[in-house]
Amino acid sequence: MEMLAPYTTLRLGGPAREFAEATTSEQLVSLVADADRKAVPTLILGGGSNLVVSDEGFDGLVIKVATRGVTVSRDGGQMLVTVEAGEDWDPLVARAVAEGWSGIECMSGIPGLVGSTPIQNVGAYGQEVSQTIWCVRAYDRRTRQVIDVEGRQCGFSYRDSAFKRDLSRHVVLGVTYALDVSELSRPLAYAELAGRLGVAAGDRVPLAEARAAVLGLRRSKGMVLDPDDPDTRSAGSFFTNAVLTPAQADELAVRAPGHPRWDMPDGSVKVPAAWLIEHAGFPKGYERGPVRISTKHTLALTNPAGEATTADLLALAREVRDGVREKFGVTLVNEPVMVGCALAE
């Protein structure tokens, strides 16, 4: 049996009953289709950066996506960049910056594979992949066909998509991004990043400068994988920012006057989970046995010495979630995908 912990950035997770690696899309489809015919449970494994696997592991077939390939074509003022699901995300961003393709530069340093980006609607520092995804090629396990899903059909929302809402249906094979031909970033939408660059929100800067600033910010928060930094032994942000209804936002305003908030176009209110966690009494470096909150960022739960169990991590996550709910009446939602375990208890 193959242990899954080495395949996750948390370094947590028990064994897989069966394990296979797919190096081509055809092989990936074949492995999934064969498992489906035999009614064998399957887990599609990407970079393991947004995954929490139970200590018991996975009682089925784990398929590691290792497909490779990038093709590029020009369409007017844009480049259509088609990428196999098994390509690493950050090298793609680095290439885009070097080639003068604008639109994903603020997502520099995010770990994981391309195939995961549409599922999670990956985003950072004011950009989301939903802004550039042209189409997603996927295997539909229900119809047993390979399909192309246009970006507008993907049901994207904050850290969510139609793929995530039905994880068992589609296997992402590749993604096509429509990137602007420009040496400048898209208008900066994140105040912290703009401030780091010494410009105003809405300004544009050279792509390389935007990438360097994002990498600097992420490293300062332990969000760039580094074997010498125990704070990066995490799944990145463990909780999503809270999205509240107007009534919920009014209640929070009574409990925490002047709290940070972003008013959203649909009338909802987004509140930073990091602020809620810290002000509920969980500072950076807060420990529970062998696990702790990152010493650099309250959103990351870490396995610093690599000696924890998934049960240890979930106990800390529940303590934080319950503490925030008791203090502010807001229930935080986990961002990583849970395999064989759940935060709810």
Side-chain angles (χ1 to χ4, degrees):
M1 292 188 291
E2 189 87 9
M3 293 299 294
L4 296 177
Y7 294 97
T8 73
T9 53
L10 271 166
R11 296 298 184 258
L12 296 175
R17 176 157 56 90
E18 298 179 69
F19 188 91
E21 184 173 271
T23 57
T24 67
S25 291
E26 293 77 15
Q27 186 181 19
L28 178 54
V29 169
S30 177
L31 284 166
V32 173
D34 185 58
D36 287 347
R37 282 192 295 271
K38 297 175 181 177
V40 175
T42 57
L43 170 64
I44 310 302
L45 179 63
S49 60
N50 196 50
L51 198 64
V52 178
V53 180
S54 72
D55 295 314
E56 292 72 30
F58 187 74
D59 188 21
L61 172 64
V62 174
I63 304 172
K64 178 73 173 75
V65 181
T67 55
R68 296 288 185 269
V70 180
T71 59
V72 178
S73 63
R74 183 153 184 165
D75 181 16
Q78 291 188 314
M79 301 300 297
L80 299 182
V81 185
T82 300
V83 190
E84 292 295 314
E87 288 282 350
D88 285 318
W89 170 254
D90 192 54
L92 173 67
V93 179
R95 178 178 175 184
V97 168
E99 298 275 5
W101 306 335
S102 175
I104 57 176
E105 57 283 345
C106 294
M107 292 178 279
S108 292
I110 295 177
L113 304 185
V114 162
S116 301
T117 63
I119 298 172
Q120 189 72 10
N121 187 18
V122 164
Y125 295 102
Q127 288 183 346
E128 294 180 335
V129 292
S130 58
Q131 297 165 339
T132 56
I133 286 180
W134 183 264
C135 73
V136 176
R137 191 171 77 259
Y139 174 63
D140 186 332
R141 299 169 70 176
R142 188 176 300 168
T143 65
R144 299 181 183 179
Q145 293 180 323
V146 174
I147 60 173
D148 289 316
V149 184
E150 294 181 11
R152 58 186 175 82
Q153 298 174 315
C154 292
F156 289 124
S157 59
Y158 173 64
R159 299 297 177 271
D160 201 10
S161 70
F163 305 111
K164 186 176 179 180
R165 290 189 287 273
D166 191 358
L167 279 172
S168 64
R169 178 167 181 177
H170 296 101
V171 178
V172 175
L173 305 176
V175 185
T176 298
Y177 304 90
L179 304 178
D180 298 333
V181 179
S182 175
E183 295 294 334
L184 296 177
S185 68
R186 289 195 173 182
L188 299 175
Y190 203 80
E192 183 184 18
L193 177 58
R196 179 88 169 209
L197 287 160
V199 299
D203 286 350
R204 305 174 70 189
V205 298
L207 293 174
E209 292 183 16
R211 175 171 168 80
V214 168
L215 289 173
L217 285 168
R218 290 185 66 85
R219 285 193 185 96
S220 72
K221 300 173 182 179
M223 294 292 187
V224 175
L225 292 181
D226 181 348
D228 296 325
D229 183 354
D231 278 331
T232 69
R233 198 168 289 122
S234 76
S237 297
F238 195 89
F239 295 102
T240 60
N241 290 327
V243 180
L244 309 180
T245 65
Q248 290 171 326
D250 289 343
E251 180 183 345
L252 179 59
V254 173
R255 295 192 185 211
H259 68 82
R261 55 180 281 166
W262 300 296
D263 295 316
M264 307 302 288
D266 63 358
S268 63
V269 176
K270 188 185 293 184
V271 179
W275 186 92
L276 294 168
I277 292 167
E278 190 146 9
H279 286 78
F282 301 98
K284 298 169 187 173
Y286 180 89
E287 292 184 343
R288 183 188 176 104
V291 293
R292 73 182 183 199
I293 294 175
S294 167
T295 64
K296 302 179 182 70
H297 199 297
T298 50
L299 271 184
L301 307 186
T302 69
N303 173 23
E307 298 173 354
T309 65
T310 302
D312 293 328
L313 183 85
L314 293 178
L316 174 59
R318 292 182 185 117
E319 182 182 0
V320 171
R321 178 202 59 190
D322 294 348
V324 169
R325 183 165 54 201
E326 181 178 353
K327 175 79 172 179
F328 296 115
V330 175
T331 301
L332 296 178
V333 177
N334 57 279
E335 184 167 334
V337 174
M338 303 286 185
V339 175
C341 56
L343 186 58
E345 188 177 79

